[in-house]
Amino acid sequence: ARLLQILSFSDLKVIHLERNLMSVANSWKKKVLLPEYRNKEVFMPVKSNSLIVKSWLKIRWKGRKLQNHSPYLFITYEQLIAHPIKVLSLLQEFLDVSFDMQDLRVHPSHAIGGNPMRSHLDSRIEIRGDNEDKNHLSSLERFTFPIIDRLSKIFFR
């Protein structure tokens, strides 16, 4: 993204969508079957707490640095869930495009790694809250991840 910002021929607009650390950690702790392996059961890797925190903080820091050089829109996943139409309208305005918000669809994307939802052909995008119990996290993790999340907001505004 930074290289695209430097290149004068690109008209880069940055949309930084961020999910809270505890939800990210819970997701990385799940045992999720990868759909690209048809002859055997292969699961997504489960990350350690230190790698989850390090990766999340690095992405937050680098994403925030992009706002100094391009049009930048920061949205939290929680904002998107609470007010999907408002946020999607904001995206349309920011990008200067229009799309049918009632018919958003997922198209297959990157074939290596990432969220297995990508493998469902022509699936509707479901914008839903994070009602899932954080059952993949220990009590200590459920206590510490929100603290790290709040502290990072002080350092990465």
Side-chain angles (χ1 to χ4, degrees), residues 131-146:
N131 296 329
E132 180 182 340
D133 184 20
K134 302 295 187 260
N135 56 356
H136 302 285
L137 301 177
S138 70
S139 297
L140 180 60
E141 291 166 337
R142 285 192 296 269
F143 176 75
T144 55
F145 284 132

Side-chain angles (χ1 to χ4, degrees), residues 109-124:
S109 62
H110 56 91
I112 301 171
N115 191 326
M117 96 179 256
R118 74 194 181 287
S119 66
H120 302 292
L121 297 175
D122 203 30
S123 302
R124 292 183 65 90

Side-chain angles (χ1 to χ4, degrees), residues 45-145:
V46 174
K47 290 187 177 184
S48 68
N49 289 339
S50 60
L51 186 57
I52 291 168
V53 170
K54 178 184 168 189
S55 299
W56 186 83
L57 287 172
K58 183 170 79 172
I59 291 168
R60 173 176 262 205
W61 176 66
K62 288 185 175 199
R64 295 293 173 87
K65 285 181 67 172
L66 293 172
Q67 69 185 318
N68 300 328
H69 306 285
S70 293
Y72 176 92
L73 180 62
F74 178 80
I75 302 168
T76 67
Y77 185 78
E78 293 73 26
Q79 288 171 318
L80 178 61
I81 296 310
H83 309 286
I85 300 300
K86 180 180 176 182
V87 170
L88 292 172
S89 295
L90 187 64
L91 284 170
Q92 287 186 77
E93 183 180 327
F94 179 73
L95 297 171
D96 194 26
V97 297
S98 63
F99 48 81
D100 182 359
M101 289 189 267
Q102 303 304 319
D103 195 32
L104 295 177
R105 296 192 180 275
V106 176
H107 297 284
S109 62
H110 56 91
I112 301 171
N115 191 326
M117 96 179 256
R118 74 194 181 287
S119 66
H120 302 292
L121 297 175
D122 203 30
S123 302
R124 292 183 65 90
I125 294 175
E126 184 180 341
I127 299 174
R128 57 185 163 87
D130 191 11
N131 296 329
E132 180 182 340
D133 184 20
K134 302 295 187 260
N135 56 356
H136 302 285
L137 301 177
S138 70
S139 297
L140 180 60
E141 291 166 337
R142 285 192 296 269
F143 176 75
T144 55
F145 284 132

